[in-house]
Amino acid sequence: MSVRSCLKAASLAALVIFVAGCDEQKGGGEAAAQQQQAPATQVTFVEVQPQTVGLVAELPGRTVASRKADVRPQVDGIIKERNFTEGATVKAGQQLYQIDQSVYLANLDAAKAELARSQATLDQATKTRTRYDKLIKTQAVSEQARDDAVAAEAQGKASVAAARAQIDQARINLEYTTVTAPIPGKIGASSVTEGALVTANQEMALATITQLDPIYVDVTQAGGRLMRIQQGIDSGRIKGAANGDGVDVRLILDSTGDEYAHVGKLQFSDVTVNETTGTVRLRAVFDNPDQVLLPGMFVRAFVDQGEVENAYLVPQRAVMRRPDGSAYVFTIKSDNTVEAKALTIEQSKGNDWVVTKGLNPGDHIIVDGLQRVGPGAPVSPVAAKDDENAQPASR
């Protein structure tokens, strides 16, 4: 091959390589441009503003009768009558049973007779002592005789007092033969019937009365949570009283899921923490005129525990957790890029978290599209709305 042919072939090869390099450079530039012009990720956000948020604790609870009394006899005897219907509502003082009165009427009559005898003896002793008082002045009787008369009168007075006490005791025992209801409420089944022998203060109750109106609801709250609320109140962060009078309590019935018609009041909280569960018992009192609530029912109580000012309600679906458990959200900056913000959460409220630190008024928090973005990523924000035709919001 001649030198000219070699030079021509080399020039052609160099031209081919140059053209190919230009094409490759052009293609890479177009790809970079296309990548820079890719549309930002569309996300949905909500705007949050500070507000005063009421803290409400949802706590499990159980209903407890406000009063419960076992009816027992206080004297021995045979049941002559039962004067109530099992399961009915009884009033305080209403007669429930009648015990045979024969023995107790006789005892009362005997006590009255003893009083009459003692009174007669006292009258005689008094007359004797009065007469001796006159005779002692003329020394017609001895000092000893007068002293005996004075002692006899004193013994007579003591006998009269004892006889009157016996009458009172006999009358009380006679009244005890009529067994009455000590409290109002619903009475259960009777454990005895007519003709049964009962004894004073026997172990077995004749019947049990349960007062249902008002009724108590005992709920439990973690001791640490209650302490945190109290600390917040002491510092002024939380307005209200965790254990004060007049705190409202609402109930949700587990059986139906409905809210109970009456609002209760917090009555007290225990001063000790249960060593086994680490909880504190709170007791609320509720009106129960229709006796919808029965002792032993499980309920969910919502207890007002104060208010937090300048707090934010953040949807729970927008909050994420780091491996250490700390909470954060993605917010949208003014240049439509994503920023992560750490949060301090007070507690939950419905489907939201009550946030006390970490946010600013007007922050736009991403609620949908969190998996497709990260800090610094460009986004196309859309305000969260109920309808599906939400338009991107201008910033």
Side-chain angles (χ1 to χ4, degrees):
M1 181 179 296
S2 64
V3 175
R4 181 177 295 179
S5 299
C6 290
L7 291 176
K8 185 181 293 185
S11 300
L12 182 60
L15 180 61
V16 171
I17 294 173
F18 175 77
V19 172
C22 291
D23 291 341
E24 182 178 355
Q25 182 177 3
K26 181 180 180 181
E30 291 178 354
Q34 291 177 359
Q35 183 176 1
Q36 292 178 357
Q37 296 175 0
T41 303
Q42 181 171 301
V43 295
T44 304
F45 72 90
V46 294
E47 182 177 326
V48 294
Q49 296 291 344
Q51 56 186 295
T52 299
V53 179
L55 300 181
V56 180
E58 180 179 352
L59 306 173
R62 184 190 292 268
T63 54
V64 180
S66 56
R67 287 198 290 178
K68 187 176 182 179
D70 291 334
V71 179
R72 288 185 172 87
Q74 294 179 275
V75 293
D76 302 342
I78 301 295
I79 297 294
K80 302 292 289 185
E81 299 175 4
R82 192 193 78 185
N83 305 106
F84 68 91
T85 302
E86 294 173 319
T89 300
V90 297
K91 298 179 180 180
Q94 178 179 332
Q95 182 179 3
L96 304 178
Y97 297 93
Q98 181 61 60
I99 299 175
D100 186 13
Q101 296 182 330
S102 303
V103 174
Y104 301 100
L105 286 171
N107 291 341
L108 179 59
D109 291 340
K112 290 179 178 179
E114 179 62 23
L115 175 61
R117 187 189 67 79
S118 299
Q119 187 65 55
T121 302
L122 174 61
D123 291 344
Q124 182 61 38
T126 301
K127 290 178 182 179
T128 301
R129 193 266 308 160
T130 302
R131 186 167 58 254
Y132 280 12
D133 285 344
K134 295 178 181 179
L135 295 175
I136 194 65
K137 297 178 181 179
T138 60
Q139 297 183 350
V141 296
S142 65
E143 289 286 346
Q144 182 63 49
R146 181 182 177 277
D147 291 343
D148 291 343
V150 172
E153 183 184 23
Q155 291 177 356
K157 291 180 179 179
S159 297
V160 169
R164 286 174 177 166
Q166 290 178 357
I167 289 178
D168 291 340
Q169 182 64 53
R171 185 176 290 114
I172 290 172
N173 288 338
L174 180 62
E175 292 175 354
Y176 281 159
T177 59
T178 300
V179 182
T180 59
I183 61 172
K186 274 200 170 184
I187 190 166
S190 175
S191 61
V192 296
T193 60
E194 293 83 353
L197 173 64
V198 295
T199 58
N201 302 316
Q202 64 184 27
E203 182 177 354
M204 180 183 67
L206 303 180
T208 300
I209 301 175
T210 304
Q211 184 173 347
L212 302 178
D213 185 23
I215 195 168
Y216 295 145
V217 175
D218 287 350
V219 298
T220 56
Q221 184 172 40
R225 173 62 186 163
L226 195 63
M227 181 181 297
R228 183 179 177 185
I229 292 175
Q230 190 61 53
Q231 291 174 346
I233 293 173
D234 295 339
S235 66
R237 180 172 55 86
I238 299 176
K239 307 297 182 181
N243 300 323
D245 296 334
V247 176
D248 290 338
V249 183
R250 295 176 292 108
L251 288 185
I252 299 295
L253 306 180
D254 273 2
S255 57
T256 62
D258 298 330
E259 182 173 346
Y260 183 57
H262 300 276
V263 176
K265 295 292 183 180
L266 188 65
Q267 192 176 54
F268 77 94
S269 63
D270 273 346
V271 296
T272 58
V273 177
N274 187 293
E275 295 180 358
T276 303
T277 61
T279 58
V280 177
R281 182 181 63 159
L282 309 177
R283 168 165 288 181
V285 59
F286 285 82
D287 291 333
N288 192 29
D290 300 326
Q291 299 182 359
V292 174
L293 300 178
L294 300 176
M297 294 177 61
F298 285 100
V299 295
R300 286 181 294 140
F302 293 85
V303 183
D304 292 339
Q305 296 188 316
E307 296 180 339
V308 178
E309 297 179 348
N310 297 319
Y312 298 85
L313 290 178
V314 177
Q316 292 184 1
R317 70 180 189 272
V319 178
M320 297 169 285
R321 299 280 180 176
R322 296 188 175 92
D324 60 359
S326 60
Y328 68 98
V329 292
F330 283 158
T331 62
I332 304 173
K333 298 170 63 176
S334 58
D335 60 355
N336 284 346
T337 58
V338 177
E339 179 184 13
K341 287 190 175 183
L343 305 180
T344 298
I345 295 177
E346 181 68 34
Q347 68 173 51
S348 64
K349 184 178 179 67
N351 295 324
D352 299 325
W353 291 113
V354 180
V355 176
T356 55
K357 291 182 180 179
L359 296 176
N360 297 316
D363 273 351
H364 288 187
I365 297 177
I366 299 176
V367 293
D368 291 321
L370 297 169
Q371 298 80 5
R372 303 190 303 270
V373 297
V379 292
S380 175
V382 177
K385 294 181 180 179
D386 293 336
D387 59 341
E388 297 180 356
N389 298 321
Q391 299 296 324
S394 59
R395 294 188 59 86

